Amino acid sequence: MASIAATNLVCKKHLQLIAFQFAFIGIVSCGNVLIWPTEASHWLNIKIIIQELIKRDHNVTILVSNASLFIKPKAESAEKFEIYSVPFTKNHIESLIKGIIGLWLDNKPTTFTFWRFYKELGKQVRKWHDLNRQMCDGVLGNHDFMAQLKRSKYDLLLSDPVTLCGDLLAVKLGIPFVYSLRFSPASTVERHCGKMPSPPSYAPAVLSELTDNLSFGERIKNIVSYYLQDYVFQSYWGEWDFYYSKILGRPTTLCETMGKAEMWLIRTYWDFEFPRPYLPNFEFVGGLHCQPAKPLPEEMEEFVQSSGEHGIVVFSLGSMIHNLTDEKNNMIATALSQLPQKVLWRYKGKKPETLGTNTRIYDWIPQNDLLGHAKTKAFITHGGTNGIYEAIYHGVPMVGIPIFADQPDNIAHMRAKGMAVELDFNTMKAQDLVDAVNMVVNNFTYKENAIRLSQIHHDQLVKPLDRAVFWIEFVMRHKGAKHLRPAAHQLTWYQYHCLDVLAFLLTCATVTLFIAVKCCLFCCKKCGRIVRKRKTE
Amino acid sequence: MASIAATNLVCKKHLQLIAFQFAFIGIVSCGNVLIWPTEASHWLNIKIIIQELIKRDHNVTILVSNASLFIKPKAESAEKFEIYSVPFTKNHIESLIKGIIGLWLDNKPTTFTFWRFYKELGKQVRKWHDLNRQMCDGVLGNHDFMAQLKRSKYDLLLSDPVTLCGDLLAVKLGIPFVYSLRFSPASTVERHCGKMPSPPSYAPAVLSELTDNLSFGERIKNIVSYYLQDYVFQSYWGEWDFYYSKILGRPTTLCETMGKAEMWLIRTYWDFEFPRPYLPNFEFVGGLHCQPAKPLPEEMEEFVQSSGEHGIVVFSLGSMIHNLTDEKNNMIATALSQLPQKVLWRYKGKKPETLGTNTRIYDWIPQNDLLGHAKTKAFITHGGTNGIYEAIYHGVPMVGIPIFADQPDNIAHMRAKGMAVELDFNTMKAQDLVDAVNMVVNNFTYKENAIRLSQIHHDQLVKPLDRAVFWIEFVMRHKGAKHLRPAAHQLTWYQYHCLDVLAFLLTCATVTLFIAVKCCLFCCKKCGRIVRKRKTE
């Protein structure tokens, strides 16, 4: 075969992947990747991809605002940080997060209250979008900063689209971009911008807490959820169309720009998701952050070993919940004190008075290592995707106490797959928590299902992290992944649903029917006249 | 983690895949795989999977009728053959194949003749189904043979569903089954039985020769193709419902049984396919048979080397075309003699009188090795999937002369991707063939596109054959792949399309509107009366 350069961008370790049968000319350097991250657990997840990219000799630059809450630029680290200025502070982000959590805690949406809930949520979303817009301005409105980014000649931008503008920045820089995404409301972005089909008869809308086994009533709820969330999305995210058009200097929409993503790395997999249709430029890489357990710190290992045959329970409500009310605090501590297991509780708040001798509170726990410990019997969790995947990875059954965002939906998935029991954070009593833990520990079905899901998770031909990085490198090598992009992107909504074709065929059928009827009537009249004429003769 | 056996079926070489974090109890032996193959090129493809399974220490048994044309049982081979009796001979199959090819050659379907064509094709399909039914009876109706198969305790059946009954046999034996499939007419089996969504606005119907870039008229043709082929499928394949119900002893349908496939190994990939939605239990493994080129036989290598800088052209119309008319024969030979390249022509028929000195005819050629040769400039092909994939693998542009079945559609794909020029077998003249070869050799765009597709094909994280075998082994390890099976299988067609929900919502809306109108009218009347009453007062 002719000696033709496939690309000039291949990392030394991965050369063999595509070197077969091809000779390369001009291997210049490894990839130059720009990251547009999102705060909180999103950052924890994308950080794993960043570390792997660096391990594979790529240069990684992270764009971070000077008000970032979770992303802490370090001077001497393998990744480079580009810090841009925003006119708000960390406190703004903190109070917004508090507001969102508070809303969910005080107004947990039900079938009859979700309309009111979504209206309230919309206000928080608008606040977030205000901050997000200031972040966009901090980069896109800063000409010197943009010129500097352009000079850096990035090969790809990896964006978490919960913080908008990553896509817009990539388009402005003229480079391909890849999404790392857990979900968007009603999967509107995946469906309308990414063109992923979602049959409402068995693909449950996100946040709906439904499964793929839908009764008639649940299918009604599912369809309503899709339309309602689509409406909410359009109401609040639709405002970005103007901003995107202004920046690009031509009429466009948020959705059109987001639809240019070369690959969608979705942070779930079929151990967690219900089987559903997807497109070839979607890759499900859930659990990419999971790793085999490392040894625990000495003191912690001693405490864990002291649990004897009862083992331990790991308890965390995530990094966002710092303080509980004294009442809730004591109720939980009372419940935990009644368990035969030793409990490791990650909690930064006030130490509860009723704390049992079997429970220890930690500011931070090595959650993955604890879940992978042989003594671990159960995981009490708020149901964040990262924690859920660590539990799946290590096959640990869960008690879910979801609080906000996708957490109730995540726990609904795990409940449906027989790996979790769910409790209501607002109404649960101490005895409920005790019963729930005893249930997942003593009823072996939960452990069996946890192991089954864990086996599914481990029995993949290529690990999720390797798949994620492969597609990032693929897009860099080929300057895109156009061969995976469905032609649906070129169609209007009525063309996509073939409504114009149906209208045409219906019109044809109607005209044909009309002509046929007219012909018949004409013939009948003619015949009638002849008969009458004959009779009169 | 508890020491729980994931499964008792793991091959030594692949233990590491799932051994991580799990201990296995009772590793008994490697898999016991039963094969239900199809004749001709289908057999060549599935044979590669069989060889790989054997290489990985699985026991493979191939079910073959005593009238098989292409599958030749060997006494001393790694694979075992189980031969069953059928009341027809090789000649029956041969004449049926001739009939199908003849039909396509004499009545190539066009927009205005496809209805007549499909009616004629239906007659051939019925003849094939008669033979197929006798094959089913040869296995399922032979109690001793069935008892013997049951005793063999197979772990999985791998079936090519172009020959029906593999699925039925698997259900009777109580074992999971996996399909190896290129396509079914209108992808009816994939769509209706496998539940793979196919938006007609951009997913072209198979055999339609359409691409994913559809004009308004082409979308009409596409929708009509879907419905027409669905109708043809139901008309001819629908007759199997009775047979399947009789064998299973309960009312069922062909589609219901086929829908039980654990995995669908589709023999294409995104280098060939247009991007379209699919399901997690579909794996696209096109080109699994392709390999790096091996050295040619000495005489052939000498001839190839004698071509100098002009290089060679490889020409084959596949294994089904043995004889051409003298006129066609000589016309082709004349055309080939005018090429500056040396030509290697695979042809079993009469030597044409006009054969040029630059052309050599061979009974058989090492096609993959020739296409992978550095001297190869072009491939003249009938457009079978296997040959097309060898050309993609080695990046060789093509002149397509499609004859029957999926060949015109295959060449339409390659034409759309800029890697092939198409000629009409019935109407082409010598000069057309010369021009076509010169075009793909001298216009560098064809070579560029061929290399681009080749790069896409090679730049996969896992080779197609490894992916195919992984999923076969996965199904054996887990006794299925239920976690990938969409819940759509549990829905009726109207539930799937949510027609019942829409009807309900429409009824609700109508009743609400009716009540609202009635209330308004009642109020108006009431008000009217009061006004009139006041006026009269």
Side-chain angles (χ1 to χ4, degrees), chain A residues 1 4 6 18 20 201 212 219-220 275-278 280 292 393-394 451 455-456 458-459 462 470 477-478 483 485 487 495-496 500 504, chain B residues 1 4 6 18 20 201 212 219-220 275-278 280 292 393-394 451 455-456 458-459 462 470 477-478 483 485 487 495-496 500:
Chain A
M1 173 172 285
I4 286 168
I18 54 164
F20 177 67
S201 50
D212 62 345
R219 277 189 291 123
I220 294 177
R276 48 157 303 142
Y278 64 108
Y393 185 91
H394 296 293
I451 288 176
Q455 286 171 348
I456 287 169
H458 286 284
D459 203 355
V462 182
F470 169 79
R477 278 196 292 271
H478 299 263
H483 71 296
R485 186 177 171 78
Q495 285 173 330
Y496 178 85
D500 52 347
F504 173 77
Chain B
M1 171 171 292
I4 285 170
I18 53 165
F20 177 67
S201 51
D212 61 345
R219 278 190 291 122
I220 294 177
R276 47 157 303 143
Y278 64 109
Y393 185 91
H394 296 294
I451 288 177
Q455 285 171 350
I456 288 170
H458 285 285
D459 202 355
V462 182
F470 169 79
R477 279 196 291 272
H478 298 264
H483 71 295
R485 185 178 172 78
Q495 287 173 329
Y496 179 85
D500 52 346

Coordinates of all heavy atoms in Angstrom, one line a residue, chain A residues 1 4 6 18 20 201 212 219-220 275-278 280 292 393-394 451 455-456 458-459 462 470 477-478 483 485 487 495-496 500 504, chain B residues 1 4 6 18 20 201 212 219-220 275-278 280 292 393-394 451 455-456 458-459 462 470 477-478 483 485 487 495-496 500:
Chain A
M1 N 0.8 -1.2 0.0 CA 0.0 0.0 0.0 C 0.9 1.3 0.0 O 1.9 1.3 0.6 CB -0.9 0.0 1.3 CG -1.6 1.3 1.4 SD -2.8 1.1 2.7 CE -4.0 0.1 1.9
I4 N 1.2 6.6 2.8 CA 0.5 7.8 2.9 C 0.3 8.1 4.4 O -0.1 7.2 5.2 CB -0.8 7.8 2.2 CG1 -0.5 7.9 0.7 CG2 -1.8 8.9 2.6 CD1 -1.6 7.6 -0.2
A6 N -1.5 8.8 7.6 CA -2.9 8.8 8.1 C -3.2 10.1 8.8 O -4.2 10.6 8.8 CB -3.1 7.6 9.0
I18 N -2.8 1.9 15.1 CA -3.2 2.2 13.7 C -2.1 2.1 12.7 O -2.2 2.3 11.6 CB -3.9 3.6 13.6 CG1 -2.9 4.7 14.2 CG2 -5.2 3.7 14.3 CD1 -3.3 6.1 13.8
F20 N -0.6 -0.5 11.8 CA -0.7 -1.7 11.0 C -1.1 -1.3 9.5 O -2.1 -0.6 9.3 CB -1.8 -2.5 11.6 CG -2.1 -3.7 10.8 CD1 -1.2 -4.7 10.7 CD2 -3.3 -3.9 10.2 CE1 -1.5 -5.9 10.0 CE2 -3.6 -5.0 9.4 CZ -2.7 -6.0 9.4
S201 N -41.8 4.7 24.9 CA -42.5 3.5 25.4 C -41.7 2.7 26.3 O -42.2 1.9 27.1 CB -43.1 2.7 24.2 OG -42.1 2.5 23.3
D212 N -37.5 0.7 32.6 CA -37.9 0.4 31.3 C -39.1 -0.6 31.2 O -39.6 -0.9 30.2 CB -36.8 -0.3 30.5 CG -36.3 -1.6 31.1 OD1 -36.7 -1.9 32.3 OD2 -35.6 -2.3 30.5
R219 N -46.3 5.0 31.2 CA -46.0 5.5 29.9 C -46.5 6.9 29.7 O -45.9 7.7 29.1 CB -46.4 4.5 28.8 CG -45.4 3.4 28.6 CD -45.7 2.5 27.4 NE -46.9 1.7 27.6 CZ -47.9 1.7 26.8 NH1 -47.9 2.5 25.7 NH2 -49.0 1.0 27.0
I220 N -47.7 7.1 30.3 CA -48.3 8.5 30.2 C -47.3 9.4 30.9 O -46.9 10.5 30.4 CB -49.7 8.5 30.9 CG1 -50.7 7.7 30.0 CG2 -50.2 10.0 31.0 CD1 -52.1 7.6 30.6
P275 N -31.5 -1.0 28.6 CA -31.1 -1.1 27.2 C -32.0 -0.2 26.3 O -33.2 -0.2 26.5 CB -31.2 -2.5 26.8 CG -31.3 -3.3 28.1 CD -31.8 -2.3 29.1
R276 N -31.4 0.6 25.4 CA -32.1 1.6 24.7 C -31.3 1.9 23.4 O -30.1 1.6 23.3 CB -32.3 2.9 25.5 CG -31.0 3.3 26.1 CD -30.9 4.8 26.4 NE -31.2 5.5 25.2 CZ -31.9 6.6 25.2 NH1 -32.4 7.1 26.3 NH2 -32.1 7.3 24.1
P277 N -32.0 2.5 22.4 CA -31.2 2.7 21.1 C -30.2 3.9 21.3 O -30.5 4.8 22.2 CB -32.3 3.2 20.1 CG -33.6 3.0 20.8 CD -33.4 2.9 22.3
Y278 N -29.1 3.8 20.6 CA -28.2 4.9 20.6 C -27.5 5.0 19.3 O -27.8 4.2 18.4 CB -27.2 4.8 21.8 CG -26.3 3.6 21.8 CD1 -24.9 3.7 21.5 CD2 -26.8 2.3 22.0 CE1 -24.1 2.6 21.5 CE2 -26.0 1.2 22.0 CZ -24.6 1.4 21.7 OH -23.8 0.3 21.7
P280 N -23.8 5.6 16.7 CA -22.4 5.2 16.8 C -21.5 6.2 17.4 O -20.3 5.9 17.7 CB -22.1 4.8 15.3 CG -23.2 5.4 14.5 CD -24.4 5.5 15.4
P292 N -9.3 -1.0 41.2 CA -9.2 -1.9 42.3 C -8.8 -1.2 43.6 O -8.2 -0.1 43.6 CB -8.0 -2.8 41.9 CG -7.8 -2.6 40.4 CD -8.3 -1.2 40.2
Y393 N -18.9 -1.6 40.7 CA -17.5 -2.1 40.4 C -17.1 -3.2 41.5 O -16.7 -4.2 41.1 CB -16.5 -1.0 40.4 CG -15.1 -1.3 40.0 CD1 -14.7 -1.2 38.7 CD2 -14.2 -1.7 41.0 CE1 -13.4 -1.5 38.3 CE2 -12.9 -2.0 40.6 CZ -12.5 -1.9 39.3 OH -11.2 -2.2 38.9
H394 N -17.4 -2.8 42.7 CA -17.0 -3.8 43.8 C -18.1 -4.7 44.3 O -17.9 -5.5 45.2 CB -16.5 -3.0 45.0 CG -15.2 -2.2 44.7 ND1 -14.0 -2.7 44.4 CD2 -15.0 -0.8 44.6 CE1 -13.1 -1.8 44.2 NE2 -13.7 -0.6 44.3
I451 N -23.4 -8.5 42.6 CA -22.3 -9.3 42.0 C -22.6 -9.4 40.5 O -21.7 -9.3 39.7 CB -22.1 -10.6 42.7 CG1 -21.5 -10.4 44.1 CG2 -21.2 -11.6 41.9 CD1 -21.3 -11.6 44.9
Q455 N -20.2 -8.2 37.7 CA -19.6 -9.1 36.6 C -19.8 -8.5 35.2 O -18.9 -8.5 34.4 CB -20.3 -10.4 36.7 CG -19.8 -11.3 37.9 CD -20.6 -12.5 38.1 OE1 -21.6 -12.7 37.5 NE2 -20.1 -13.4 38.9
I456 N -21.0 -7.9 35.0 CA -21.3 -7.3 33.7 C -20.4 -6.1 33.5 O -19.8 -5.9 32.4 CB -22.8 -6.8 33.7 CG1 -23.7 -8.0 33.5 CG2 -23.0 -5.8 32.6 CD1 -25.2 -7.6 33.8
H458 N -17.4 -5.6 34.8 CA -16.0 -6.1 34.6 C -15.8 -6.8 33.3 O -14.7 -6.8 32.7 CB -15.5 -7.0 35.7 CG -15.2 -6.2 37.0 ND1 -14.1 -5.4 37.1 CD2 -15.9 -6.0 38.1 CE1 -14.1 -4.8 38.3 NE2 -15.2 -5.2 38.9
D459 N -16.8 -7.5 32.8 CA -16.7 -8.3 31.6 C -16.9 -7.4 30.4 O -17.8 -7.7 29.6 CB -17.7 -9.4 31.7 CG -17.3 -10.6 30.8 OD1 -16.3 -10.5 30.1 OD2 -18.0 -11.6 30.8
V462 N -13.0 -3.8 26.5 CA -12.1 -2.7 26.8 C -12.6 -1.9 28.0 O -13.8 -1.6 28.0 CB -11.9 -1.8 25.6 CG1 -10.9 -0.7 25.8 CG2 -11.5 -2.6 24.3
F470 N -9.5 6.4 23.9 CA -9.4 6.0 22.5 C -10.1 6.9 21.6 O -9.6 7.4 20.6 CB -9.9 4.5 22.3 CG -10.0 4.2 20.8 CD1 -8.9 3.8 20.1 CD2 -11.2 4.3 20.2 CE1 -9.0 3.5 18.8 CE2 -11.3 4.0 18.8 CZ -10.2 3.6 18.1
R477 N -6.6 12.1 15.9 CA -5.9 11.5 14.7 C -6.6 11.9 13.4 O -6.0 12.1 12.4 CB -5.9 10.0 14.9 CG -4.8 9.4 15.8 CD -4.6 7.9 15.5 NE -5.8 7.1 16.0 CZ -5.9 6.6 17.2 NH1 -5.0 6.9 18.1 NH2 -7.0 5.9 17.5
H478 N -8.0 11.8 13.4 CA -8.7 12.0 12.2 C -9.3 13.4 12.1 O -10.1 13.6 11.2 CB -9.8 10.9 12.1 CG -9.2 9.5 12.1 ND1 -9.0 8.8 10.9 CD2 -8.8 8.7 13.1 CE1 -8.5 7.6 11.2 NE2 -8.4 7.5 12.5
H483 N -17.4 9.9 10.1 CA -18.1 8.7 9.6 C -19.1 8.1 10.6 O -19.8 7.2 10.3 CB -17.0 7.7 9.3 CG -16.4 7.1 10.6 ND1 -15.6 7.9 11.4 CD2 -16.4 5.8 11.1 CE1 -15.2 7.1 12.4 NE2 -15.6 5.9 12.2
R485 N -21.2 10.3 12.3 CA -22.2 11.4 12.5 C -23.5 11.1 11.6 O -23.4 11.1 10.4 CB -21.6 12.7 12.0 CG -22.4 13.9 12.3 CD -21.7 15.2 11.8 NE -22.5 16.4 11.9 CZ -22.9 17.0 13.0 NH1 -22.4 16.5 14.2 NH2 -23.7 18.0 13.0
A487 N -26.9 11.4 9.5 CA -27.4 12.4 8.5 C -28.6 13.2 9.1 O -29.0 14.1 8.5 CB -27.7 11.8 7.2
Q495 N -38.8 16.9 8.5 CA -38.2 16.0 7.6 C -37.8 14.7 8.4 O -37.9 13.6 7.9 CB -37.0 16.6 6.9 CG -37.3 17.6 5.8 CD -36.1 18.3 5.3 OE1 -35.1 18.5 6.1 NE2 -36.1 18.8 4.1
Y496 N -37.2 15.0 9.6 CA -36.7 13.9 10.4 C -37.9 12.9 10.7 O -37.7 11.6 10.6 CB -36.2 14.4 11.7 CG -35.7 13.3 12.7 CD1 -34.4 12.8 12.6 CD2 -36.5 12.8 13.7 CE1 -34.0 11.8 13.4 CE2 -36.1 11.8 14.5 CZ -34.8 11.3 14.4 OH -34.4 10.3 15.3
D500 N -43.4 15.7 6.0 CA -43.6 16.2 4.6 C -44.0 15.1 3.7 O -44.9 15.2 2.8 CB -42.4 17.0 4.1 CG -41.1 16.2 4.3 OD1 -41.1 15.2 4.9 OD2 -40.1 16.7 3.7
F504 N -47.5 14.6 1.8 CA -47.6 14.5 0.3 C -48.3 13.2 0.0 O -49.2 13.2 -0.9 CB -46.1 14.4 -0.2 CG -46.1 14.0 -1.7 CD1 -46.3 15.0 -2.6 CD2 -45.7 12.8 -2.1 CE1 -46.3 14.7 -4.0 CE2 -45.7 12.4 -3.5 CZ -46.0 13.4 -4.4
Chain B
M1 N -14.3 -9.3 48.5 CA -15.6 -9.8 47.8 C -15.7 -11.3 48.0 O -14.8 -12.0 48.0 CB -15.5 -9.4 46.4 CG -16.7 -10.0 45.6 SD -16.7 -9.3 44.0 CE -17.2 -7.6 44.4
I4 N -17.6 -16.0 44.7 CA -18.7 -16.6 44.0 C -18.5 -16.9 42.5 O -17.8 -16.1 41.8 CB -19.9 -15.6 44.2 CG1 -20.4 -15.7 45.6 CG2 -21.1 -16.0 43.2 CD1 -21.4 -14.7 46.0
A6 N -18.8 -16.9 38.9 CA -19.5 -16.1 37.9 C -20.1 -17.0 36.9 O -21.2 -16.8 36.4 CB -18.5 -15.1 37.1
I18 N -12.2 -11.7 32.8 CA -13.3 -11.5 33.8 C -12.8 -12.0 35.2 O -13.6 -12.0 36.2 CB -14.6 -12.2 33.5 CG1 -14.3 -13.7 33.1 CG2 -15.3 -11.6 32.3 CD1 -15.6 -14.5 33.1
F20 N -10.7 -10.8 37.1 CA -10.4 -9.6 37.9 C -11.4 -9.5 39.0 O -12.6 -9.4 38.8 CB -10.3 -8.4 37.1 CG -10.1 -7.2 37.8 CD1 -8.9 -6.9 38.4 CD2 -11.1 -6.2 37.9 CE1 -8.7 -5.8 39.2 CE2 -10.9 -5.0 38.6 CZ -9.7 -4.8 39.3
S201 N -36.2 8.5 7.5 CA -35.8 9.8 6.9 C -34.3 9.8 6.6 O -33.8 10.6 5.8 CB -36.1 10.9 7.9 OG -35.6 10.7 9.2
D212 N -27.6 7.9 2.9 CA -28.3 8.6 4.0 C -28.6 10.0 3.7 O -29.1 10.7 4.5 CB -27.4 8.5 5.3 CG -26.0 9.1 5.1 OD1 -25.6 9.4 3.9 OD2 -25.4 9.3 6.1
R219 N -36.8 10.1 -0.1 CA -37.4 9.7 1.2 C -38.7 9.0 0.9 O -39.1 8.1 1.6 CB -37.6 10.9 2.1 CG -36.2 11.2 2.9 CD -36.4 12.2 4.0 NE -36.7 13.5 3.4 CZ -37.7 14.3 3.7 NH1 -38.6 13.8 4.6 NH2 -37.8 15.5 3.2
I220 N -39.4 9.5 -0.1 CA -40.7 8.7 -0.5 C -40.3 7.3 -0.9 O -40.9 6.3 -0.5 CB -41.4 9.5 -1.7 CG1 -41.9 10.8 -1.2 CG2 -42.5 8.6 -2.2 CD1 -42.6 11.7 -2.3
P275 N -24.2 6.1 9.3 CA -24.4 6.1 10.7 C -25.9 6.1 11.0 O -26.7 6.9 10.4 CB -23.8 7.4 11.2 CG -22.9 7.8 10.1 CD -23.3 7.2 8.8
R276 N -26.4 5.2 11.9 CA -27.8 5.0 12.1 C -28.0 4.5 13.6 O -27.0 4.0 14.1 CB -28.4 4.0 11.1 CG -27.5 2.8 11.0 CD -28.2 1.6 10.5 NE -29.3 1.3 11.4 CZ -30.5 0.9 11.0 NH1 -30.7 0.6 9.7 NH2 -31.5 0.7 11.8
P277 N -29.2 4.6 14.1 CA -29.3 4.1 15.5 C -29.3 2.6 15.6 O -29.6 1.9 14.6 CB -30.7 4.6 15.9 CG -31.2 5.4 14.8 CD -30.4 5.2 13.6
Y278 N -28.8 2.1 16.7 CA -28.8 0.7 16.9 C -28.9 0.4 18.4 O -29.0 1.3 19.2 CB -27.6 0.0 16.3 CG -26.3 0.4 16.8 CD1 -25.5 -0.5 17.6 CD2 -25.7 1.6 16.6 CE1 -24.3 -0.2 18.2 CE2 -24.5 2.0 17.1 CZ -23.8 1.1 17.9 OH -22.6 1.5 18.4
P280 N -27.9 -1.9 22.1 CA -26.6 -2.5 22.7 C -26.4 -3.9 22.4 O -25.3 -4.4 22.6 CB -26.8 -2.2 24.2 CG -28.2 -1.8 24.4 CD -28.7 -1.3 23.1
P292 N -3.9 -9.4 7.0 CA -2.8 -8.9 6.2 C -2.5 -9.8 5.0 O -2.8 -11.0 5.2 CB -1.6 -8.8 7.1 CG -2.3 -8.9 8.5 CD -3.6 -9.6 8.4
Y393 N -10.3 -3.0 3.6 CA -9.2 -3.3 4.5 C -7.8 -2.9 3.9 O -7.0 -2.3 4.5 CB -9.2 -4.8 4.7 CG -8.2 -5.4 5.7 CD1 -8.5 -5.5 7.1 CD2 -6.9 -5.8 5.3 CE1 -7.6 -6.0 8.0 CE2 -6.0 -6.3 6.2 CZ -6.4 -6.4 7.5 OH -5.5 -6.9 8.5
H394 N -7.7 -3.2 2.5 CA -6.4 -2.9 1.9 C -6.4 -1.5 1.2 O -5.4 -1.2 0.6 CB -6.1 -4.0 0.9 CG -5.9 -5.3 1.6 ND1 -4.8 -5.6 2.4 CD2 -6.6 -6.5 1.5 CE1 -4.9 -6.8 2.9 NE2 -5.9 -7.4 2.4
I451 N -8.3 4.9 1.0 CA -7.4 4.9 2.2 C -8.1 5.4 3.4 O -7.9 4.9 4.5 CB -6.1 5.7 1.8 CG1 -5.3 4.9 0.8 CG2 -5.3 6.1 3.0 CD1 -4.1 5.7 0.3
Q455 N -8.4 3.4 6.8 CA -7.9 3.9 8.1 C -9.0 3.8 9.1 O -8.7 3.4 10.3 CB -7.5 5.4 8.0 CG -6.2 5.5 7.2 CD -5.8 7.0 6.9 OE1 -6.7 7.8 7.0 NE2 -4.6 7.2 6.5
I456 N -10.2 4.1 8.8 CA -11.3 4.0 9.7 C -11.5 2.5 10.1 O -11.7 2.2 11.3 CB -12.7 4.5 9.1 CG1 -12.6 6.0 9.0 CG2 -13.9 4.0 9.8 CD1 -13.7 6.6 8.2
H458 N -9.2 0.2 10.1 CA -8.1 -0.3 11.0 C -8.1 0.3 12.3 O -7.6 -0.3 13.3 CB -6.8 -0.1 10.2 CG -6.5 -1.1 9.1 ND1 -6.2 -2.4 9.3 CD2 -6.6 -0.9 7.8 CE1 -6.1 -3.0 8.2 NE2 -6.3 -2.1 7.2
D459 N -8.6 1.6 12.4 CA -8.5 2.3 13.6 C -9.6 2.0 14.6 O -10.4 2.8 14.9 CB -8.4 3.8 13.3 CG -7.8 4.6 14.5 OD1 -7.5 3.9 15.5 OD2 -7.6 5.8 14.4
V462 N -10.8 -2.7 19.1 CA -10.7 -4.1 19.1 C -11.1 -4.6 17.7 O -12.0 -4.1 17.1 CB -11.7 -4.7 20.1 CG1 -11.5 -6.2 20.1 CG2 -11.4 -4.2 21.5
F470 N -15.7 -12.3 21.3 CA -15.9 -11.9 22.7 C -17.4 -12.1 23.1 O -17.7 -12.6 24.2 CB -15.5 -10.4 22.9 CG -16.0 -9.9 24.2 CD1 -15.3 -10.1 25.4 CD2 -17.1 -9.1 24.3 CE1 -15.7 -9.6 26.6 CE2 -17.6 -8.6 25.5 CZ -16.8 -8.9 26.7
R477 N -20.5 -17.4 28.9 CA -20.2 -17.2 30.3 C -21.4 -16.8 31.2 O -21.5 -17.3 32.3 CB -19.2 -16.0 30.4 CG -17.7 -16.4 30.2 CD -16.8 -15.3 30.7 NE -16.9 -14.1 29.9 CZ -16.2 -13.8 28.8 NH1 -15.4 -14.7 28.3 NH2 -16.3 -12.6 28.2
H478 N -22.3 -16.0 30.6 CA -23.4 -15.5 31.4 C -24.7 -16.1 31.1 O -25.8 -15.7 31.5 CB -23.5 -13.9 31.2 CG -22.3 -13.2 31.7 ND1 -22.2 -12.6 32.9 CD2 -21.1 -12.9 31.1 CE1 -21.0 -12.0 33.0 NE2 -20.3 -12.2 31.9
H483 N -28.9 -8.2 30.0 CA -28.8 -6.8 30.3 C -28.7 -5.9 29.1 O -28.8 -4.7 29.2 CB -27.5 -6.6 31.2 CG -26.3 -6.7 30.4 ND1 -25.8 -7.9 29.9 CD2 -25.3 -5.8 30.2 CE1 -24.7 -7.7 29.3 NE2 -24.3 -6.5 29.4
R485 N -30.9 -6.5 26.4 CA -32.1 -6.8 25.7 C -33.1 -5.7 26.0 O -33.6 -5.5 27.1 CB -32.6 -8.1 26.2 CG -33.9 -8.6 25.4 CD -34.3 -10.0 25.9 NE -35.6 -10.4 25.4 CZ -35.7 -10.8 24.1 NH1 -34.6 -11.0 23.4 NH2 -36.9 -11.1 23.7
A487 N -36.4 -3.5 26.5 CA -37.8 -3.9 27.0 C -38.8 -3.8 25.9 O -40.0 -4.2 26.1 CB -38.2 -2.9 28.1
Q495 N -48.3 -0.4 21.7 CA -47.7 0.1 22.9 C -46.3 0.7 22.5 O -45.9 1.8 23.1 CB -47.5 -1.0 23.9 CG -48.8 -1.5 24.6 CD -48.6 -2.7 25.4 OE1 -47.8 -3.5 25.1 NE2 -49.4 -2.8 26.5
Y496 N -45.6 0.0 21.7 CA -44.3 0.5 21.3 C -44.3 1.9 20.7 O -43.5 2.7 21.0 CB -43.7 -0.5 20.2 CG -42.3 -0.1 19.7 CD1 -41.2 -0.5 20.4 CD2 -42.2 0.7 18.6 CE1 -39.9 -0.1 20.0 CE2 -40.9 1.0 18.1 CZ -39.8 0.6 18.8 OH -38.5 1.0 18.4
D500 N -51.7 3.8 22.2 CA -52.7 3.7 23.3 C -52.7 4.9 24.2 O -53.7 5.5 24.5 CB -52.6 2.4 24.1 CG -51.2 2.2 24.6 OD1 -50.2 2.9 24.2 OD2 -51.0 1.3 25.5

